Amino acid sequence: MNIRIGNGYDIHRLGSDRALILGGVKIEHHLGLLGHSDADVLTHAIMDAMLGALSLGDIGHYFPPTDDRWKGANSLDLLAQVNRLILEKGWRVNNIDSTVVAERPKLKPHIGAMRDRLAAVLELNPELIGIKATTNEKLGPVGREEGIAAYAVALLVSDRQESKMPATTAAQSETIGTPEPAIVADTVAFDAKGEMVLLAQVEAKKQSSPDKVIERIIPKLQAAKTLIPFAAIVDLEKILIFQWNGIKLLNPVISLKAEDILSHYDKKFGQKRILYNYLNALFQAWLDDLAYRWKPQIPPALEQMEAIGLLPRLAGGSADSEVVLQGEVYD
């Protein structure tokens, strides 16, 4: 069994003419929490913990406050969507622990109802959801009753057998026999069955010609234990996607401007310095959006990816970085 742990935090201001909702429970109080949705800080912290455990970003990425679809939204409905995403990734929530920090009102009488509401959405026994309430001893904005904050930790588990994967990440690599020089892919996209469908070479610089990058990516494609149908070269200017026939890369089937794709995830892309790890993370965010199209926003280049046959292969899959294709990685 594999485990992942994530933590989440949220805070909202208190204001008049708003309901106070925590853990899906409406609590009588003369002030409520201000926010685009129902501002349920406890549920928001839990969602961020779940997303963080799988490096899927935060709730602002999926339910932005600029989108009127989420205005006044019930946070339990948003939690259900996050839980569905976690399940589709092959993981499930094992247990939750959380703390709500508020000077008033007293929350202890409502904790049981909160646990029941959250457990119903996550399909868990309420005993697997921990909720604690405390004050901030009148310190800071929470202590001055200007807001309420919440912290959460989520433990996710998966029964997936890593040995069935065609490759392992660097952190999972184990020494077997005589060590071989490591061949590591920057990013690999897997389909729903765990088969590799795309291997990417990520370069945080401008490339005038892809020839030298192709020289670096071909040995990685050859080192894979299976035929990977697509390859990508990603740099600060463009995203090139090729088909790989096991011998050579065919001419690019798609050439995309990197800024057109990745500014969807960072609006200042192209206006600031972008390092390798961040560029890789933005590219993976795009692959994840293509794999799980349940958000209201349509991922960039959706039709182009479908036209070349890559989109259906990505559906229900996942992307990972630093994937060991051959050999051993040493710290």
Side-chain angles (χ1 to χ4, degrees), residues 3-309:
I3 66 170
R4 297 279 186 91
I5 298 173
N7 73 311
Y9 167 79
D10 196 25
I11 186 171
H12 279 271
R13 291 181 179 273
L14 284 162
S16 57
D17 299 323
R18 288 277 293 192
L20 177 59
I21 299 174
L22 294 170
V25 176
K26 185 175 181 180
I27 298 171
E28 290 298 325
H29 193 50
H30 68 289
L31 297 174
L33 291 171
L34 305 175
H36 187 63
S37 65
D38 62 8
D40 183 342
V41 290
L42 174 57
T43 303
H44 292 184
I46 290 172
M47 286 192 286
D48 269 352
M50 292 166 60
L51 291 168
L54 297 184
S55 301
L56 295 176
D58 59 27
I59 59 174
H61 174 68
Y62 299 92
F63 314 110
T66 55
D67 192 334
D68 286 341
R69 297 184 186 211
W70 313 120
K71 186 174 180 62
N74 183 334
S75 291
L76 292 184
D77 293 338
L78 307 186
L79 177 64
Q81 293 193 48
V82 170
N83 192 49
R84 184 164 66 250
L85 175 61
I86 298 301
L87 293 171
E88 289 173 346
K89 289 282 189 180
W91 295 79
R92 57 183 172 83
V93 176
N94 185 76
N95 67 289
I96 300 284
D97 189 27
S98 61
T99 301
V100 181
V101 187
E103 294 298 316
R104 291 189 300 165
K106 295 294 184 182
L107 301 179
K108 187 175 180 180
H110 307 284
I111 287 178
M114 294 181 201
R115 293 171 67 191
D116 289 342
R117 294 282 180 88
L118 294 166
V121 174
L122 297 175
E123 299 181 353
L124 292 176
N125 187 318
E127 294 180 357
L128 296 175
I129 297 180
I131 301 176
K132 304 178 295 296
T134 187
T135 70
N136 219 37
E137 296 293 337
K138 301 191 180 302
L139 298 173
V142 173
R144 294 191 296 269
E145 299 188 44
E146 296 172 7
I148 292 177
Y151 301 82
V153 177
L155 175 65
L156 307 187
V157 295
S158 174
D159 296 323
R160 295 185 306 177
Q161 295 297 320
E162 297 296 338
S163 60
K164 293 182 181 179
M165 299 290 283
T168 60
T169 62
Q172 296 165 337
S173 178
E174 299 179 357
T175 303
I176 302 176
T178 303
E180 298 176 346
I183 298 179
V184 181
D186 295 338
T187 288
V188 171
F190 299 91
D191 65 16
K193 296 180 180 179
E195 297 291 332
M196 292 187 286
V197 295
L198 179 141
L199 183 148
Q201 180 76 16
V202 179
E203 308 258 340
K205 54 186 177 182
K206 297 181 179 180
Q207 298 287 343
S208 56
S209 171
D211 292 346
K212 291 185 178 180
V213 185
I214 288 175
E215 292 177 2
R216 291 194 287 274
I217 197 173
I218 286 181
K220 298 180 180 182
L221 290 162
Q222 293 172 334
K225 298 176 182 178
T226 185
L227 177 65
I228 304 174
F230 292 92
I233 294 175
V234 182
D235 60 45
L236 297 176
E237 289 187 338
K238 58 188 174 295
I239 298 173
L240 300 177
I241 299 180
F242 304 79
Q243 287 183 318
W244 168 248
N245 64 7
I247 300 174
K248 66 178 182 179
L249 288 175
L250 306 180
N251 290 331
V253 290
I254 282 185
S255 178
L256 302 167
K257 188 177 179 181
E259 186 173 353
D260 291 344
I261 303 301
L262 303 182
S263 62
H264 184 80
Y265 304 96
D266 185 337
K267 296 187 183 302
K268 293 185 178 180
F269 186 90
Q271 304 174 29
K272 63 182 182 180
R273 186 183 180 192
I274 301 291
L275 300 179
Y276 163 79
N277 285 337
Y278 190 52
L279 179 61
N280 206 6
L282 293 175
F283 179 65
Q284 286 187 47
W286 178 49
L287 294 177
D288 283 336
D289 272 3
L290 292 169
Y292 294 93
R293 301 187 303 279
W294 57 273
K295 295 193 300 180
Q297 301 92 345
I298 297 174
L302 182 72
E303 293 182 358
Q304 294 98 311
M305 298 293 277
E306 186 168 22
I308 65 171

